[in-house]
Amino acid sequence: MRHLLLILCITLLPVGVQAKRRAASGVNGVIMLLQGDFMPGPGGPSGKSRPVARKIFFYTAAKFDQVVAEGEGGFYRKINTPLIGQTSSSEDGKFQINLAPGTYTMVVEEKGKLYANGSDGTYVKPVLVEAGKFTPIKFNIDYQATW
């Protein structure tokens, strides 16, 4: 019986190690809220930025014809691609999520809507995750900032 258990453990060990290797990719970073004037000028910018806790969602990369905008300024009512994962940032804005390699659309929940502050011209706030790596992101919630 003891030999059978030993053989079973040795056989299953590589499976567990492979599963850990596959999970060693994703996104980490910080969510920042920017408010006020960030224009250069006499005395410098007077805007403020601070880390914030927010819900964060990762969807299969969404093109502009796959989202429903809510007004202007980066707000969305709906993302029409599959939700792949979600997490939350802590009070110091920090977050981490394990994701398989691929390209995702990243949004945060802001005032009951979805918010993303950028695009690459094709996809809404795309984030590329490479195998075995964590993609660092500084996500600025900047609709209350002026530039």
Side-chain angles (χ1 to χ4, degrees), residues 29-52:
V30 64
I31 307 296
M32 300 293 292
L33 178 64
L34 282 66
Q35 298 171 304
D37 185 1
F38 287 85
M39 293 287 288
S46 61
K48 305 287 184 206
S49 66
R50 63 182 173 90
V52 292

Side-chain angles (χ1 to χ4, degrees), residues 4 19 25 27 37 44 69 77 81 90 100-101 112 138 140 142-143:
L4 181 60
S25 62
V27 179
D37 185 1
R77 187 173 346 133
T81 59
S90 59
K138 181 180 179 187
N140 290 328
D142 59 4
Y143 65 94

Side-chain angles (χ1 to χ4, degrees), residues 59 67-71 75-79 112-115:
Y59 292 85
V67 298
V68 179
E70 180 75 26
F75 284 96
Y76 300 93
R77 187 173 346 133
K78 187 172 183 188
I79 309 290
K113 301 173 189 168
L114 301 174
Y115 178 78

Side-chain angles (χ1 to χ4, degrees), residues 2 6 17 20 46 58-59 61 66 68 72 85 87 90-91 100-101 110 116 127 132 135 139 141 143 146:
R2 198 177 298 161
L6 180 63
V17 170
K20 276 190 173 182
S46 61
F58 291 87
Y59 292 85
Q66 295 175 302
V68 179
E72 294 184 17
T87 189
S90 59
E91 290 296 324
E110 180 70 9
V127 176
T135 303
F139 189 106
I141 303 170
Y143 65 94
T146 54

Side-chain angles (χ1 to χ4, degrees), residues 70-127:
E70 180 75 26
E72 294 184 17
F75 284 96
Y76 300 93
R77 187 173 346 133
K78 187 172 183 188
I79 309 290
N80 291 313
T81 59
L83 176 64
I84 302 301
Q86 68 183 61
T87 189
S88 294
S89 59
S90 59
E91 290 296 324
D92 65 357
K94 294 180 181 177
F95 72 93
Q96 180 168 310
I97 185 170
N98 291 339
L99 294 168
T103 302
Y104 301 91
T105 286
M106 178 182 175
V107 296
V108 298
E109 186 177 282
E110 180 70 9
K111 297 189 176 193
K113 301 173 189 168
L114 301 174
Y115 178 78
N117 65 345
S119 76
D120 66 357
T122 302
Y123 294 99
V124 175
K125 192 63 177 177
V127 176

